[in-house]
């Protein structure tokens, strides 16, 4: 077998699920944490020419070093091609030096990860000031999107939905989801004053129609962007909005914050596994990876 899949920073269940969809064997990897806090990685099997590595990279700092050890070890032990599958690609939001002296961590993270893989496959990365992954990643990039599935989910599960993006950055996802599902959409304006301090404004012409608002954003992190949007919409007479996030980073207790703000429901994809994930992206990943097998 020339292609195998292994666990870079995921669960063995998720790796098995992707392997089954691709009809590929799993290469076993053993991770070890030494008493001094250092990590050890062992590949328990013969390294194939092509290794697909699944890494769930929310909370990336603690996962990055063991992943780097695995990728480098795969290369040293004979992998000719390494495909890193990171359904959620972290560090993309720090895409400029917002304050003097700040590190542009998206670039540094890309510089660290790029030499360790040949191809990087991801879903809806936060491409805002960058337009293509290749602007910062030297590895070949494959950008997939869950927007169509988000639009379908809204059409099938919400009565008379209107998709709403909280800020201009969300337009790319909201517009694609709405056009695919043939739904109306609206993009609002956001001013961020701090990590947990955002202000949302609705257009002066906003009319609470008989639609149910479905907020769509790429990332729900602290949840404050969506919570403020929920409050602003309800204050303007809408029905309780449904919140849909592609990447459930869920720093702090974001879902609680959203429900307390008045959301009807919080739903996400499973780019980051979590209890509220109703939209499955594994088939999207599998379809893209199927083309690249070396058998
Ligand atoms: C940034 O523009 C992103 O698209 C999200 O709107 C943002 O990351 C959400 O963060 P939080 O949930 O912390 O407000």
């Amino acid at each position: 077998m020339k292609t195998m899949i292994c666990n870079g920073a995921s669960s063995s269940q998720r790796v098995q699920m992707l392997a089954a969809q691709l009809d590929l064997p799993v290469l076993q990897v053993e991770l070890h944490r030494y008493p001094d806090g250092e990590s050890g990685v062992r590949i328990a099997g013969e390294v194939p020419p092509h290794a697909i590595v699944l890494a769930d990279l929310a909370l990336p700092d603690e996962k990055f070093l063991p992943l780097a050890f695995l990728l480098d070890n795969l290369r040293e032990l004979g992998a000719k091609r390494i495909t890193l599958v990171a359904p959620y690609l972290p560090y993309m939001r720090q895409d400029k030096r917002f304050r003097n002296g700040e590190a542009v961590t998206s670039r540094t993270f890309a510089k660290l990860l790029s030499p360790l893989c040949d191809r990087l496959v991801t879903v809806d990365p936060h491409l805002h000031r960058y337009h293509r992954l290749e602007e910062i990643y030297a590895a070949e990039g494959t950008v997939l999107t869950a927007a169509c599935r988000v639009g379908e989910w809204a059409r099938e599960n919400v009565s008379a939905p209107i998709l709403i993006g909280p800020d201009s950055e969300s337009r790319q996802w909201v517009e694609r989801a709405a056009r695919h599902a043939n739904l109306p959409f609206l993009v609002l304006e956001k001013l961020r004053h701090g990590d947990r301090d955002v202000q949302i404004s609705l257009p002066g012409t906003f009319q609470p129609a008989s639609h149910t608002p479905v907020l769509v954003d790429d990332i729900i992190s602290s949840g404050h962007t969506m919570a403020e949007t929920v409050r602003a919409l309800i204050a303007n007479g809408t029905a309780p909005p449904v919140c849909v996030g592609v990447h459930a980073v869920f720093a702090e207790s974001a879902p609680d914050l959203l429900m307390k703000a008045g959301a009807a429901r919080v739903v996400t994809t499973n780019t980051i596994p979590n209890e509220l994930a109703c939209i499955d992206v594994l088939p999207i990943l599998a379809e893209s990876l199927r083309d690249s097998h070396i058998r």
Side-chain angles (χ1 to χ4, degrees), residues 93 126 166-167 169-170 173 190 192 195 198 217-226:
R93 285 174 294 170
H126 189 83
D167 54 23
E169 283 144 270
S170 64
W173 299 287
K190 173 171 85 177
R192 186 178 279 283
D195 288 348
V198 297
D217 206 355
D218 60 335
I219 298 171
I220 304 178
S221 178
S222 69
H224 284 281
T225 296
M226 279 219 180

Side-chain angles (χ1 to χ4, degrees), residues 22-264:
L22 289 167
D23 193 20
L24 283 179
V26 173
L27 177 66
Q28 294 302 329
V29 172
E30 294 168 5
L31 285 177
H32 184 70
R33 183 74 74 167
Y34 291 101
D36 60 5
E38 295 183 359
S39 305
V41 173
R42 175 173 175 263
I43 296 164
E46 197 176 326
V47 171
H50 179 203
I52 296 177
V53 180
L54 180 62
D56 296 326
L57 291 180
L59 300 174
D61 293 14
E62 64 195 51
K63 294 175 184 163
F64 180 75
L65 263 187
L67 176 64
F69 295 146
L70 170 65
L71 296 171
D72 202 37
N73 196 27
L74 282 165
R75 188 85 80 199
E76 283 191 3
L77 294 177
K80 299 278 175 282
R81 183 163 172 80
I82 298 175
T83 300
L84 176 62
V85 181
Y88 168 62
L89 186 59
Y91 278 112
M92 290 296 288
R93 285 174 294 170
Q94 186 76 32
D95 54 4
K96 77 168 200 179
R97 194 162 273 118
F98 292 96
R99 290 179 302 149
N100 285 346
E102 241 174 23
V104 184
T105 52
S106 54
R107 282 207 291 265
T108 310
F109 190 71
K111 276 187 216 159
L112 291 168
L113 203 52
S114 287
L116 297 166
C117 60
D118 301 292
R119 181 183 174 202
L120 172 63
V121 179
T122 190
V123 179
D124 291 320
H126 189 83
L127 291 171
H128 176 213
R129 288 178 185 82
Y130 308 122
H131 297 105
R132 298 168 62 246
L133 272 189
E134 284 83 354
E135 287 172 43
I136 51 170
Y137 279 87
E140 177 194 328
T142 301
V143 170
L144 305 172
T145 181
C148 298
R149 293 289 298 112
V150 167
E152 287 161 14
W153 184 90
R155 194 183 52 205
E156 287 158 17
N157 293 278
V158 180
S159 139
I162 176 170
L163 305 193
I164 297 187
D167 54 23
S168 58
E169 283 144 270
S170 64
R171 173 175 284 277
Q172 53 183 304
W173 299 287
V174 177
E175 189 166 354
R176 200 177 294 143
R179 293 207 189 288
H180 176 79
N182 201 18
L183 295 173
F185 74 96
L186 180 67
V187 176
L188 310 181
E189 278 179 27
K190 173 171 85 177
L191 261 182
R192 186 178 279 283
H193 304 293
D195 288 348
R196 297 173 190 77
D197 184 7
V198 297
Q199 199 183 328
I200 300 289
S201 36
L202 272 58
T205 53
F206 182 80
Q207 291 282 338
S210 48
H211 289 105
T212 309
V214 178
L215 310 189
V216 177
D217 206 355
D218 60 335
I219 298 171
I220 304 178
S221 178
S222 69
H224 284 281
T225 296
M226 279 219 180
E228 270 315 307
T229 313
V230 166
R231 285 188 203 105
L233 287 166
I234 291 176
N236 279 273
T238 73
V242 174
C243 298
V244 184
V246 176
H247 306 297
V249 171
F250 287 170
E252 300 154 358
S253 8
D256 288 349
L257 184 76
L258 294 175
M259 294 308 286
K260 278 185 195 143

